[in-house]
């Protein structure tokens, strides 16, 4: 047998072993693995940021709360000044933090997709509101549609390392705002049984949205038992102002039993302070106001502490979602979530590049690694997002699954056990053995459980790559996307799907 055949035979055996089915508890990476290894803030830093946030709430407060919100929060102990701003005594914030929900579960329509938000458990998913789709075959941008949103949900459903699907694009072909909100809910839920996040463009749209969700769940009681959609709510407009319509919508969602993401998305150097530490202070203060709001209304209602400060390129004022500063902001916010022991979410994985190229790779890799290693519970916008949130790319979503698999492997870390540090394998190889570990029992046993392998990433030698017709990564991503979409099905019973389409103007196939 030639050396080439021997190598190819060994490779085939290893690939066959790698493709054997694995039980969930022995997969090398899986949803909810614990991070927390990376901490950019010292304990003293965390305490200082916490103290500054409490000072900001007492001394500056927030303006423009809706009348209903003023009533809810002042009854709990907030103080409305002559300037109309609500200020929050420290004791009030501490009382509401004590009532806030911890260790919450964001449900999928299938229990296997439930997200358990506790400690430093990490989950990656999509988010954003891109208005364009990136066409990698023509290198152009076009308006996003309801069909694109549905396709993104179907692709997400097929990807192991993207754990939830929050609306990633605006359905710009749906011109009526109520129809757009309803199509957004259905496009997402019909594409995946993973947890879904959405938003409402008008508070009056919550009630018809809930009517649809009750039908999809099998009734209101079934919905309230396992709410599988959460409300992504920009309840503040930084700096330090409530967003009146969003707050009203949030109140309706809380009454309807829908989990909420308390989202503060200031931009450092623009709508948030330029110092990274002070940008975190403002985001924390705004989200603590949200904790007061939610728990004064419904103590213990499931809410994600959504500090999402973004970064500006201070030379131009443009957003820079793929920067090192963004990675630090997100990791620092994650530490604050842990300080409060609250389920938390923030943004990572955004690329400023317009296409899935080398720049996109380093930006998505760096920001997602720091988010994962920080132990962030919900990493939003982790895959697919380009042009600083303006463009979403389906092929990049597929490629992001490979990136996030590698990221989750770093989150898992190194298993140092008695078995893994035993010298038996070394003795067998070195003392009269073959002098290598390629075929050892230990190596073969760990192939699936210790190592993760890219689905699309190329590890061929240059010779093998040339013999294989020099495959290009983006071509493989296009093929994988097309394969998923060709085999994906609507995730509802055909009779229910037909009934929904009869009663609503659904824009996607």
């Amino acid at each position: 047998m030639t050396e080439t055949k021997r190598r190819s035979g060994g490779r085939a055996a290893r690939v066959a072993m790698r493709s054997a089915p694995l039980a969930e508890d022995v997969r090398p990476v899986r949803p909810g693995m614990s991070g927390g290894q990376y901490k950019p803030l010292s304990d003293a830093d965390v305490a200082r940021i916490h103290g500054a946030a409490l000072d900001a709430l007492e001394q500056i407060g927030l303006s423009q709360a809706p009348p209903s919100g003023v009533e809810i929060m002042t009854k709990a102990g907030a103080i409305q000044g002559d300037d109309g701003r609500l200020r929050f005594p420290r004791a009030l914030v501490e009382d509401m933090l004590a009532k806030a929900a911890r260790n919450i579960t964001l449900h999928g329509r299938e229990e296997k997709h439930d997200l358990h938000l506790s400690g430093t458990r990490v989950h990656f998913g999509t988010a954003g509101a891109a208005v364009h789709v990136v066409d990698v075959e023509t290198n152009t941008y076009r308006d996003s549609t309801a069909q694109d949103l549905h396709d993104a949900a179907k692709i997400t459903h097929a990807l192991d390392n993207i754990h939830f699907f929050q609306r990633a694009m605006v359905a710009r072909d749906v011109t009526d705002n109520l129809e757009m909100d309803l199509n957004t809910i259905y496009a997402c839920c019909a594409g995946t049984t993973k947890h879904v996040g959405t938003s409402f463009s008008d508070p009056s749209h919550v009630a018809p949205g809930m009517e649809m969700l009750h039908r999809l769940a099998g009734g209101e009681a079934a919905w309230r038992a396992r709410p599988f959609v959460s409300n992504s709510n920009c309840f503040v407009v930084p700096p330090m102002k409530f967003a009146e319509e969003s707050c009203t919508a949030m109140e309706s969602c809380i009454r309807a039993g829908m989990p909420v993401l308390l989202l503060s998305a200031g931009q450092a150097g623009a709508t948030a302070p330029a110092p990274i530490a002070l940008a975190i202070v403002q985001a924390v203060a705004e989200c603590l106001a949200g904790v007061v709001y939610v728990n004064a209304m419904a103590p213990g209602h499931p809410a994600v502490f959504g500090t999402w400060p973004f970064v500006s390129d201070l030379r131009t004022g443009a957003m820079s979602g793929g920067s090192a500063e963004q990675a630090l902001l997100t990791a620092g916010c994650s530490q604050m979530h842990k300080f409060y022991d609250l389920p938390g979410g923030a943004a990572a994985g955004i690329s400023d590049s317009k296409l899935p190229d080398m720049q996109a790779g380093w930006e998505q890799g760096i920001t997602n690694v720091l988010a994962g290693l920080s132990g962030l519970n919900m990493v939003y916008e982790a895959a697919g997002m380009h042009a600083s949130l303006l463009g979403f790319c389906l092929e990049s979503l597929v490629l992001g699954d490979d990136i996030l698999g590698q990221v989750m492997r770093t989150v898992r870390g190194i298993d140092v056990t008695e078995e893994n540090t035993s010298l038996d394998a070394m003795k067998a190889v070195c003392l009269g053995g073959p002098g290598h570990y390629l075929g050892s029992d230990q190596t073969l046993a760990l192939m699936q459980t210790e190592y993760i392998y890219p689905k699309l990433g190329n590890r061929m030698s240059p010779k093998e790559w040339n013999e294989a017709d020099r495959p290009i990564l983006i071509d493989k991503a296009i093929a994988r996307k097309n394969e998923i979409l060709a085999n994906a099905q609507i995730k509802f019973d055909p009779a229910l799907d037909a009934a929904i389409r009869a009663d609503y103007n659904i824009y996607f196939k």
Side-chain angles (χ1 to χ4, degrees):
M1 181 183 292
T2 66
E3 180 62 25
T4 300
K5 286 183 178 178
R6 200 164 26 246
R7 283 202 306 267
S8 63
R11 186 183 306 114
R14 289 192 293 275
V15 169
M17 181 170 287
R18 176 65 188 100
S19 63
L22 278 176
E24 182 67 23
D25 61 345
V26 295
R27 288 175 56 199
V29 300
R30 50 196 179 274
M33 301 188 84
S34 290
Q37 301 93 328
Y38 175 61
K39 297 179 180 180
L41 303 172
S42 68
D43 291 346
D45 295 337
V46 169
R48 177 169 290 188
I49 288 171
H50 169 60
L54 293 180
D55 288 343
L57 287 171
E58 277 194 320
Q59 298 170 23
I60 302 170
L62 278 77
S63 65
Q64 299 180 18
S68 56
V70 171
E71 181 180 3
I72 290 167
M73 288 181 275
T74 54
K75 279 185 176 179
I79 300 167
Q80 187 172 34
D82 294 338
D83 57 2
R85 301 184 74 89
L86 281 177
R87 292 176 173 85
F88 302 84
R90 290 181 178 228
L92 170 62
V93 177
E94 290 167 356
D95 286 347
M96 293 299 135
L97 279 170
K99 296 179 180 180
R102 291 168 171 82
N103 305 324
I104 70 172
T105 296
L106 296 181
H107 298 283
R109 287 217 325 281
E110 291 183 280
E111 189 174 348
K112 67 180 181 179
H113 294 310
D114 286 357
L115 308 175
H116 303 291
L117 310 190
S118 62
T120 58
R121 300 183 68 165
V122 178
H123 308 86
F124 288 99
T126 63
V131 295
H132 298 292
V133 165
V134 184
D135 186 331
V136 298
E137 299 191 56
T138 60
N139 287 349
T140 58
Y141 276 50
R142 61 170 175 79
D143 288 353
S144 51
T145 67
Q147 185 66 54
D148 294 319
L149 182 61
H150 181 55
D151 287 348
K154 290 189 289 187
I155 292 169
T156 294
H157 187 77
L159 301 177
D160 290 340
N161 302 311
I162 301 180
H163 309 132
F164 61 91
F165 184 71
Q166 184 159 306
R167 177 208 63 175
M169 289 167 278
V170 177
R172 296 183 71 186
D173 56 332
V174 187
T175 55
D176 178 85
N177 284 339
L178 174 57
E179 286 194 344
M180 182 183 69
D181 286 350
L182 294 174
N183 269 270
T184 297
I185 291 171
Y186 196 58
C188 296
C189 292
T192 181
T193 59
K194 296 179 180 180
H195 184 80
V196 163
T198 193
S199 61
F200 294 98
S201 58
D202 188 286
S204 67
H205 298 177
V206 176
M210 293 311 306
E211 290 175 11
M212 174 182 276
L213 285 169
H214 293 168
R215 291 181 67 176
L216 301 182
E220 183 176 357
W223 157 260
R224 287 184 178 273
R226 289 184 58 84
F228 50 83
V229 176
S230 56
N231 174 229
S232 175
N233 194 283
C234 294
F235 73 104
V236 290
V237 179
M240 304 292 279
K241 297 188 295 288
F242 286 107
E244 294 186 51
E245 285 198 345
S246 292
C247 288
T248 305
M250 180 179 72
E251 292 174 20
S252 297
C253 289
I254 291 171
R255 285 190 287 269
M258 179 179 277
V260 295
L261 165 64
L262 296 169
L263 178 51
S264 163
Q267 188 171 327
T271 56
I276 292 173
L278 195 55
I280 296 175
V281 168
Q282 179 179 297
V284 168
E286 289 168 343
C287 285
L288 285 174
V291 169
V292 172
Y293 200 151
V294 169
N295 289 281
M297 180 180 176
H301 185 81
V304 177
F305 198 76
T307 48
W308 282 30
F310 292 118
V311 168
S312 301
D313 185 319
L314 297 182
R315 300 169 300 180
T316 63
M319 181 183 165
S320 177
S323 62
E325 294 84 5
Q326 180 64 64
L328 287 168
L329 266 175
T330 295
C333 286
S334 177
Q335 266 190 267
M336 298 308 299
H337 306 164
K338 302 305 167 290
F339 174 75
Y340 297 116
D341 189 27
L342 292 176
I350 305 162
S351 176
D352 302 318
S353 178
K354 312 309 171 283
L355 297 168
D357 54 14
M358 185 172 178
Q359 178 184 339
W362 84 57
E363 290 174 336
Q364 292 169 7
I366 290 170
T367 56
N368 278 320
V369 163
L370 263 61
L373 291 181
S374 72
L376 183 60
N377 292 148
M378 297 286 282
V379 186
Y380 296 93
E381 296 170 334
M385 194 62 77
H386 289 269
S388 306
L389 300 181
L390 292 177
F392 193 83
C393 178
L394 299 180
E395 289 80 6
S396 190
L397 181 61
V398 173
L399 292 169
D401 187 55
D402 259 8
I403 294 174
L404 295 175
Q406 300 298 318
V407 171
M408 286 297 279
R409 185 62 189 87
T410 70
V411 169
R412 174 181 162 182
I414 300 172
D415 301 324
V416 181
T417 65
E418 183 175 347
E419 181 181 359
N420 287 348
T421 56
S422 168
L423 297 183
D424 290 346
M426 293 177 62
K427 291 176 181 176
V429 165
C430 299
L431 303 179
H436 62 76
Y437 298 90
L438 290 174
S440 74
D441 291 342
Q442 186 182 61
T443 299
L444 295 174
L446 293 175
M447 281 185 66
Q448 294 189 85
T449 58
E450 183 89 352
Y451 290 76
I452 184 169
Y453 307 95
K455 293 182 175 68
L456 298 179
N458 192 310
R459 292 178 173 176
M460 295 177 178
S461 70
K463 181 177 183 295
E464 291 169 321
W465 176 72
N466 192 60
E467 290 172 348
D469 244 356
R470 300 186 292 279
I472 302 300
L473 186 59
I474 197 65
D475 292 339
K476 295 176 70 175
I478 293 170
R480 175 69 173 138
K481 176 201 76 172
N482 291 337
E483 177 193 5
I484 291 171
L485 294 179
N487 292 296
Q489 303 291 326
I490 294 288
K491 298 299 180 185
F492 289 107
D493 180 87
L496 176 58
D497 181 57
I500 291 291
R501 292 176 187 274
D503 293 342
Y504 298 92
N505 187 14
I506 300 300
Y507 277 67
F508 63 90
K509 296 179 180 179

